[in-house]
Each structure stands twice: as C-alpha cells, then as structure tokens.
Amino acid sequence: ETLGQFMAMTSLSEHVYPICFSWPCGQIFSYLQSADISDSDRNKEYFLELMRGLSSAGIRRVHFMSHSMGVQTLLSAFADNPNDGSRSDVSRCFRLDSSLGNGSGLVGEEEEEDLMICKSITMLNPDFPVESFVDHIFLSIRRVCNHITIVGDRNDQALFWSQLVTGGSRYMGKKQPKVFEKRREDTEKVGFQLQLRIGRSIDLLRVPGDGESVKTKNRYDKKFYFKADPEVLTSRDEMEYYNWLDVDVLDTTNLDTNIANLRHNAFPVNPILLKDIEELIVTGRRAVDRSTLLFREGNIFGYCHAPSH
C-alpha cells in the first residue's frame, strides 16, 4: 500500500519496475523478535533468491529503497562475513564500484560482466545502530554502490523508542543480531547505553576523530570519505577533525509529516521529499547537485523551503 502510494504520487512508474520484498516484520510487542528475524539465515536466503531471480530475468540496474526496520533486512543481506571479511552472497550479485579501485579492500577478486549494478541505496528513517553502521556495514554497501542516501529526522519518536528498547535489552543481556555487533571493540562500555539509530543521530555518520575509535578510523581508505565540493562552507578545522562517510544525509526535521509527533513516515505523502527521491533515482544526481537541497555541514543537507514550524 505504501509503495503504491509512493509510486502514484511520482512519475517513477515510467522509469522503474517497482518490486517489493516483504518479510515477516512485527509491531510494538514483537519488535525484538522482528529484529532477530531480519538477521536470520532464512530471511537472507529469501532475499538472495530474489536477487538471483532479478539477475536471471535480465535486470542489470537496481535501486534499493528501504524504510525503518526494513533497513535491517537490507543491510544484513549485504553484510560482509565477520570471520574473513569476504562479501556476502547478495553482495556478489553486484559489481564492485569501479571508482574505488584497490581501495575496495578486495584485491584480486574477479568481476563478471553479467553482474548487476547497484545504482543507489536509499534508507528512509533507518532503524539501524550508528556504531555498527560506521564500524563495518557502511564498508559492505559502499563497495558495490557509490550513491548511498540516508533520510533522517532528529525528532523521530519511533527511533527514540527503538534505541531505548534495544539499549535496555542489551543491558539486560539479550543476544543482539549479529549484524548489530561491533567487530572492533575499543573500550568496554559499562551500564545502560542508548543504541543510537542512524535515522535519528544523523550527525554521527562519520569516521571518529582523534581521541575516539582509532581502530575504526584506520579501517577506511580516503576514498570512502565524503568528497563533495561545498567543504568551503565548513570550517577548515572541522573538515580536518572529522572524516564524514561518503553518504548523502538528508535532514527532514523541518519537513511536515503525516503522523503528528511521530515523524517516522513522511516519505509517502510529503511532496518535497517525494520529488527529491524521484530526482535521485531518475537522474542519479548526488545531493550536492540537486536543486532542492541546501548544504548544512559535513555530509548533511536540508531542504530549501520554509520550515513547518
């Protein structure tokens, strides 16, 4: 229903074939169980079957768009093997990003001409931990896609409760989905900690600077940093201290939303956001080249319009 509404309010049906991957997600009281399902082997196998089916049908260019907990399923499918860092079976359905060269970290891996191309990955109000995303998941998806977008809201109430519930369950000793686990622990955190979400803590999508996680910082080649030109608008000291991930972060905090005070489901109804996502998919332009966006700082952009409040 939501996808149908999204397609009806744009002209994307003239350019793409919409295909929906439906997985057994849940509601409030089954939230933690749904998180486990998103990272389950069976769920990954079904997703892999879909990708192989698209490839065998002759599809070569794929755009991914996922919302909230659906992002957990998407990123779990692309996550590299935690033991040896090799690509997942889903990732191997796609070509490596040629612009990275040896910076992809997969030197010597042979590419096949008939592999699909991941044109873009757009995550809407993503319910995924910041620590895990910066630690290893970003690297997994950046290897195959050079156009990654995160649409977030600093006041997203659904994600606030998500980070509270997951932080509490971790504190109580509940086993986390494997994709949530950091692969390089620097210091042991003591006590209760909110498990911050990338769809809400949008200003933390960067490689840590001095005094923070040095091990994580050393994992990234400079090719994985944000390279857009508007760095002239940011102070030189800030640009040197932070290495922002090569992601377009769209701040929708000031946009109108369809559910009062929840701020988690604006994308199917807000015309400003709808038209921008349409332009993203149809033209392939990064945020810095789209006319409706205004550079804020680092890798964060906002929309050029009067605020809703």
Side-chain angles (χ1 to χ4, degrees):
E1 181 180 347
T2 301
L3 177 62
Q5 181 175 336
F6 177 84
M7 297 299 296
M9 294 184 68
T10 65
S11 60
L12 280 174
S13 58
E14 302 174 5
H15 306 278
V16 300
Y17 296 106
I19 298 175
C20 182
F21 176 76
S22 181
W23 62 286
C25 56
Q27 298 294 328
I28 297 175
F29 295 108
S30 58
Y31 175 83
L32 294 175
Q33 182 182 5
S34 299
D36 292 334
I37 293 174
S38 70
D39 192 43
S40 67
D41 292 337
R42 177 175 294 184
N43 204 40
K44 295 175 186 177
E45 289 172 3
Y46 289 151
F47 192 82
L48 175 62
E49 185 177 346
L50 174 61
M51 294 300 103
R52 288 174 172 169
L54 293 177
S55 180
S56 63
I59 300 297
R60 287 295 170 264
R61 293 182 296 276
V62 179
H63 297 267
F64 288 101
M65 186 171 68
S66 186
H67 175 251
S68 192
M69 281 195 76
V71 172
Q72 296 181 20
T73 285
L74 177 65
L75 299 186
S76 294
F78 273 98
D80 294 339
N81 188 312
N83 298 319
D84 58 11
S86 61
R87 299 167 69 192
S88 69
D89 290 335
V90 168
S91 179
R92 291 180 183 277
C93 293
F94 296 89
R95 298 182 187 178
L96 291 170
D97 177 20
S98 59
S99 67
L100 295 178
N102 291 342
S104 65
L106 299 170
V107 180
E109 180 164 319
E110 296 182 0
E111 285 287 273
E112 299 180 14
E113 292 297 328
D114 60 347
L115 292 178
M116 295 185 292
I117 300 173
C118 184
K119 298 293 290 184
S120 69
I121 295 177
T122 304
M123 293 170 277
L124 307 161
N125 302 91
D127 185 2
F128 197 86
V130 171
E131 286 188 344
S132 304
F133 185 82
V134 174
D135 180 68
H136 61 276
I137 287 296
F138 168 72
L139 187 64
S140 299
I141 59 176
R142 182 60 184 85
R143 283 170 171 166
V144 299
C145 182
N146 60 13
H147 193 173
I148 302 170
T149 302
I150 292 177
V151 180
D153 191 312
R154 301 174 191 271
N155 296 325
D156 190 317
Q157 294 304 300
L159 295 185
F160 169 77
W161 290 108
S162 169
Q163 61 189 22
L164 182 65
V165 169
T166 53
S169 66
R170 182 172 59 176
Y171 175 68
M172 297 297 292
K174 183 184 183 300
K175 185 176 177 61
Q176 299 289 300
K178 291 181 180 179
V179 72
F180 284 7
E181 297 175 356
K182 287 188 65 177
R183 298 180 181 175
R184 281 171 167 73
E185 290 291 346
D186 304 308
T187 57
E188 187 69 23
K189 294 183 178 180
V190 179
F192 172 79
Q193 300 284 336
L194 287 176
Q195 198 174 57
L196 302 179
R197 268 21 195 181
I198 61 176
R200 182 179 169 95
S201 301
I202 57 177
D203 54 344
L204 297 180
L205 301 177
R206 51 181 171 78
V207 176
D210 297 336
E212 296 184 75
S213 176
V214 177
K215 292 183 180 180
T216 303
K217 180 178 179 181
N218 292 338
R219 295 194 66 200
Y220 287 106
D221 186 278
K222 291 183 178 179
K223 295 178 181 179
F224 292 100
Y225 297 154
F226 189 74
K227 313 176 186 67
D229 293 333
E231 62 184 47
V232 68
L233 302 177
T234 305
S235 69
R236 184 176 300 275
D237 290 341
E238 185 178 7
M239 292 304 296
E240 290 178 353
Y241 186 82
Y242 293 133
N243 293 309
W244 304 88
L245 298 183
D246 188 20
V247 177
D248 290 338
V249 180
L250 308 186
D251 184 1
T252 63
T253 305
N254 292 324
L255 286 183
D256 285 324
T257 183
N258 62 325
I259 301 180
N261 300 323
L262 188 60
R263 305 200 61 81
H264 190 63
N265 292 310
F267 74 93
V269 295
N270 189 292
I272 297 174
L273 184 55
L274 282 169
K275 293 301 181 183
D276 184 52
I277 295 177
E278 179 180 355
E279 183 180 358
L280 181 161
I281 294 175
V282 174
T283 68
R285 294 173 184 157
R286 294 288 298 263
V288 69
D289 296 318
R290 300 204 298 275
S291 59
T292 58
L293 294 168
L294 178 68
F295 175 73
R296 295 283 178 80
E297 63 172 337
N299 53 10
I300 303 175
F301 295 79
Y303 286 94
C304 303
H305 73 104
S308 61
H309 56 279

